[in-house]
């Protein structure tokens, strides 16, 4: 599968989150060619302070070996925040594909400085999903990014 | 309560984790003078890849306001890893009290460079808890830190 196909799966997770009344951010953890985990932000659905989409994807993938993480890609509709970037560093995930970093930009340069390959696609659908959500739910969005 | 009293509560969480067969790391999130969340590593107990002790404490505290986080302290028996340090940065938690960073040291200098006050106590009981655990369970420990 291509980066765009992985991103499409992350977008479908984001839309599921939106349709559940949640924050429309989705992620997939790809190990080799396999979709090992899928996730979407769980702040609203589970009242979670830690299950951002990337964390939810890591959690749904379960306990993996260091070898699996070393052969993985994190794909997310939005630029990973400090927490999610930290999780990527913890597990030595070597590559991150970001749907967009226009509405929010996490520490992409810091990830790069730690050896992670970060590719930003700036996908129009990802931008629109977040833009519409933030216009309608500015307080919920601020809560999610600690503002 | 003093830093040492908060650390004692984190140590009690670590011991609960140990007695459950888990990784003996405990944390508390203090908001003002209140223990808002308590946590212990959940890799074994819940099969979790993301619930390190600090994350578990954040999760158990539930959804908090930015004002609460800005008035909080994270207390942990062990130096927070990249993921947990990232969560501290996400929420703008201004202070971290670390039981020990002898057996494992997370990105304490990076936290400081981002404005977080980090105090390392180097508590003998915390060192012993981790030392004994790692001697008995080196593979489980490596999995937890992505090695």
């Amino acid at each position: 599968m291509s980066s765009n196909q992985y991103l499409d799966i992350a977008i479908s997770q984001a839309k599921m989150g939106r349709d559940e009344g949640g924050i429309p951010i989705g992620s997939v953890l790809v190990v080799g060619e396999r979709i090992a985990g899928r996730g979407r932000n769980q702040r609203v659905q589970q009242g979670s302070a830690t299950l951002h989409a990337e964390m939810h994807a890591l959690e749904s993938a379960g306990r993996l070996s260091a070898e699996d993480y070393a052969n993985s890609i994190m794909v997310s509709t939005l630029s990973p925040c400090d927490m999610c970037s930290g999780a990527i560093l913890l597990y030595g995930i070597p590559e991150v594909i970001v749907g967009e970093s226009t509405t929010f930009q996490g520490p992409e340069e810091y990830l790069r400085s730690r050896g992670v390959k970060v590719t930003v696609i700036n996908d129009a659908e990802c931008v629109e999903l977040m833009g519409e959500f933030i216009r309608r739910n500015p307080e919920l969005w601020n809560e999610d990014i600690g503002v």
Side-chain angles (χ1 to χ4, degrees), chain A:
Chain A
M1 291 178 76
S2 69
S3 297
N4 280 320
Q5 288 172 304
Y6 293 138
L7 184 60
D8 283 344
I9 300 172
I11 291 172
S12 73
Q13 286 288 315
K15 289 180 176 173
M16 285 174 64
R18 177 195 63 191
D19 295 345
E20 292 163 346
I23 302 177
I25 305 170
S27 301
V28 293
L29 180 70
V30 182
V31 176
E33 298 276 313
R34 179 174 70 91
I35 305 289
R38 298 168 195 243
R40 53 192 185 278
N41 188 295
Q42 295 293 313
R43 180 168 299 273
V44 171
Q45 295 93 319
Q46 294 193 42
S48 175
T50 68
L51 289 174
H52 278 189
E54 297 89 335
M55 307 296 282
H56 194 222
L58 284 166
E59 194 66 7
S60 80
R63 291 169 57 181
L64 300 177
S65 68
E67 188 180 352
D68 279 338
Y69 288 121
N71 191 28
S72 71
I73 306 172
M74 178 65 80
V75 184
S76 191
T77 57
L78 185 66
S79 182
C81 77
D82 277 309
M83 172 176 69
C84 298
S85 296
I88 288 160
L89 292 171
L90 166 64
Y91 286 123
I93 295 171
E95 182 170 359
V96 180
I97 294 170
V98 176
E100 66 111 345
S101 56
T102 303
T103 52
F104 173 84
Q105 186 176 44
E108 292 170 4
E109 283 310 312
Y110 178 63
L111 280 176
R112 290 189 180 106
S113 78
R114 297 275 305 266
V116 180
K117 179 182 176 187
V118 181
T119 304
V120 180
I121 294 178
N122 274 327
D123 176 88
E125 188 171 13
C126 292
V127 174
E128 177 51 29
L129 267 169
M130 282 310 295
E132 183 181 341
F133 169 75
I134 293 172
R135 280 191 295 277
R136 293 183 180 188
N137 305 278
E139 292 183 4
L140 182 54
W141 172 236
N142 283 342
E143 180 188 319
D144 202 56
I145 54 173
V147 177

